[in-house]
Every structure is written in C-alpha cells, then in structure tokens.
C-alpha cells in the first residue's frame, strides 16, 4: 500500500503545480496591485506623457487614460488597454474602468496613475468617487483587455518635431486588440526598399533623411513574443507630409 500512497501523493502534487503554473500565466486573470491618480485640476490625462501622444494622450479613450510603471515596458506598453477595478466593495464597481497607457510614472508602489476621470469611473456613485479621490491611492485588480476604437483605423500622427525632408517622427494611434507593435519599417513605394526605424521614446518612431515621395509603413504585431504578424497599411503617408498631420492607414488589427 505504501508505494500506492506515494504515487497518489506524487500525482496530487503534480496536478497542483500544473494548476499553479496555469494561474500564473493566465492571460485573463486579474493581478493585485495599487493605483493612484494625476493630482492636477484636469479631469483627463496629460498632454506631455512619455508615450509621445501629445494632446491625443489627454483625450484618447474619452480621457480614461493612465501612466504605468513596469507595464510601460520601455514604451512597448504605450497604447495597451487594461481593465482596472478597485477592490473596496463599499465604494467600487465590479467592472471598474478600461484605461489606455499614455505615460510612464510611479507613485508609492503603484502600477497605475490614472486620470482623475478614470479614477472616479471605478466608483459606484459621485459620493463614492469623492471618497476614492480623498484616499489618493487604492488597492486594485487589473488585467489586459482589447482596445476598442469604433469606426477608427490605425492612424499615423506626424510628430511636431518632424522636419520634411530631413527628419520624420510619428506615433501610431487607435490600435485595437491586445497585440504590441514591436518593430516598424519605413518603405519606399517606388522600389520598396525598407529599413527598420528607431523607437526613440514611448510610441515615437523616427528616422533621419526619409526618402522622398509617398511612404509605406510596415508594423510588426506581437503577442507574448510568440505570435508575430507584419501588417502593411492600405494607405501611404504622402510625400508632402507635415508636422501635426494625421494619416489613416486604412487597416485595423483586432487580435
């Protein structure tokens, strides 16, 4: 009987370790953390976030945006969406709020620094929101979710620092789904010679001496560094691009 008992114990331990491993890698499971909020008078986000979105960073997703610490991931996390819910059942809604990462920051061991609007959206009522704001930092649970921008394609925004034809910098906006953009190529449309661009900071991709004429942008979408797909937009950036302009790619990625 002893060997059988040890076999049963071994099998039970094996199954337990398997379930533990699955829980640690579960993509839809909530992770416990803490969140604060931007201590400014603006209810929305910031226009100077490290992702480089500029004024779009304040109004993206209706203003439900956040800075992130480790989830910033050197800028790869810019544009990622997370469901964030506070855990105090007296004040908080079960569904919480969905935020977009537009900045990098940390405050007292937090993973998120939400806009005041997003922080208040976690509450059950106006009074509960005031109580949450008074606390400043609250315990939360979060998980990554798909971004959703109805009737929007992926859009290229030419950064204000650009100078045609000497220097091109741009951000990629309105990316749906849960995949990360991990590489970007700039291609000439005439001979289709391509080169990899640099991620200078956040979501800003740059190159010096860009080629003249229309430009094609290729984007590498990655999921956990396993599933990778190159996406080629339908529309090109015209040769007469100007700082501050936005160009619809004609494509969207929902994975």
């Amino acid at each position: 009987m002893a060997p059988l008992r040890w076999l049963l114990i071994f099998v039970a331990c094996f199954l337990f370790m398997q379930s533990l491993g699955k829980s640690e890698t579960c993509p839809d499971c909530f992770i416990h953390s803490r969140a604060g909020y931007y201590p400014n008078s603006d209810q929305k986000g910031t226009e100077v976030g490290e992702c480089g979105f500029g004024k779009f960073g304040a109004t993206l997703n209706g203003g439900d945006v956040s800075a992130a610490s480790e989830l910033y991931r050197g800028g790869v996390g810019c544009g990622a969406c997370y469901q964030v819910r506070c855990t105090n059942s007296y004040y908080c809604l079960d569904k919480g709020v969905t935020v977009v990462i537009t900045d990098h920051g940390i405050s007292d061991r937090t993973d998120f620094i939400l806009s005041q609007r997003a922080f208040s959206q976690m509450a059950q009522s106006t009074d509960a929101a005031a109580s949450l704001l008074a606390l400043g930092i609250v315990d939360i649970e979060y998980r990554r979710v798909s971004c959703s921008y109805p009737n929007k394609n992926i859009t290229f925004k030419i950064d204000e620092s650009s100078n045609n034809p000497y220097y091109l910098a741009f951000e990629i906006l309105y990316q749906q789904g849960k995949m990360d953009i991990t590489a970007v190529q700039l291609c000439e449309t005439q001979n289709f010679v391509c080169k990899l661009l640099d991620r200078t900071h956040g979501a800003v991709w740059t190159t010096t001496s860009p080629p003249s004429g229309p430009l094609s942008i290729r984007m590498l979408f990655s999921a956990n560094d396993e599933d990778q797909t190159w996406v080629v937009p339908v529309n090109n950036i015209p040769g007469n691009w100007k700082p501050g302009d936005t160009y619809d790619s004609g494509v969207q990625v929902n994975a």
Side-chain angles (χ1 to χ4, degrees):
M1 294 296 294
L4 178 59
R5 185 179 68 176
W6 284 112
L7 178 60
L8 292 174
I9 291 174
F10 173 78
V11 171
C13 290
F14 176 76
L15 292 175
F16 173 76
M17 293 303 294
Q18 269 200 326
S19 64
L20 182 62
K22 288 180 181 178
S23 67
E24 289 178 347
T25 59
C26 171
D28 294 320
C29 293
F30 281 95
I31 300 170
H32 293 279
S33 185
R34 288 152 56 87
Y37 65 91
Y38 285 105
N40 56 26
S41 58
D42 191 342
Q43 292 295 308
K44 297 183 180 180
T46 174
E47 296 186 2
V48 292
E50 290 191 31
C51 285
F53 292 141
K55 64 181 181 180
F56 286 91
T59 60
L60 198 63
N61 195 40
D64 289 336
V65 298
S66 178
S69 51
E70 292 185 4
L71 296 173
Y72 179 75
R73 294 179 288 146
V76 176
C78 290
C81 293
Y82 291 88
Q83 180 185 1
V84 181
R85 63 187 189 188
C86 50
T87 57
N88 187 324
S89 60
Y90 187 76
Y91 296 128
C92 304
L93 292 168
D94 288 340
K95 68 176 183 178
V97 63
T98 297
V99 296
V100 181
I101 301 303
T102 59
D103 196 6
H104 177 251
I106 186 171
S107 175
D108 192 13
R109 297 174 290 113
T110 61
D111 273 310
F112 296 90
I113 304 176
L114 306 174
S115 64
Q116 286 195 32
R117 170 188 163 87
F119 200 85
S120 299
Q121 293 274 79
M122 294 190 295
Q124 297 179 12
S125 64
T126 303
D127 290 341
S131 298
L132 287 182
L133 291 169
L135 291 173
I137 293 176
V138 296
D139 293 326
I140 61 156
E141 297 175 329
Y142 74 89
R143 64 180 177 183
R144 187 160 183 186
V145 295
S146 292
C147 294
S148 178
Y149 302 105
N151 304 315
K152 291 282 189 181
N153 289 322
I154 292 172
T155 298
F156 304 116
K157 175 187 172 293
I158 307 300
D159 193 80
E160 283 75 7
S161 65
S162 297
N163 183 14
N164 195 351
Y166 306 106
Y167 177 73
L168 172 63
F170 62 89
E171 299 87 47
I172 301 173
L173 304 174
Y174 304 126
Q175 171 198 341
Q176 296 193 159
K178 291 197 290 187
M179 300 182 80
D180 298 318
I181 297 177
T182 53
V184 173
Q185 287 185 334
L186 176 66
C187 304
E188 299 179 42
T189 56
Q190 293 182 346
N191 53 23
F192 212 66
V193 173
C194 301
K195 68 174 181 177
L196 284 171
L197 301 187
D198 296 319
R199 184 198 295 271
T200 54
H201 69 280
V204 182
W205 301 89
T206 65
T207 184
T208 56
S209 302
S212 59
L215 304 174
S216 175
I217 304 295
R218 301 178 73 232
M219 300 166 286
L220 181 63
F221 286 80
S222 304
N224 299 322
D225 295 326
E226 296 176 1
D227 183 18
Q228 295 188 326
T229 304
W230 282 100
V231 174
V232 181
V234 173
N235 302 325
N236 298 319
I237 295 177
N240 62 344
W241 53 264
K242 299 187 295 296
D245 283 354
T246 58
Y247 301 100
D248 187 326
S249 70
V251 296
Q252 186 56 270
V253 176
N254 297 308

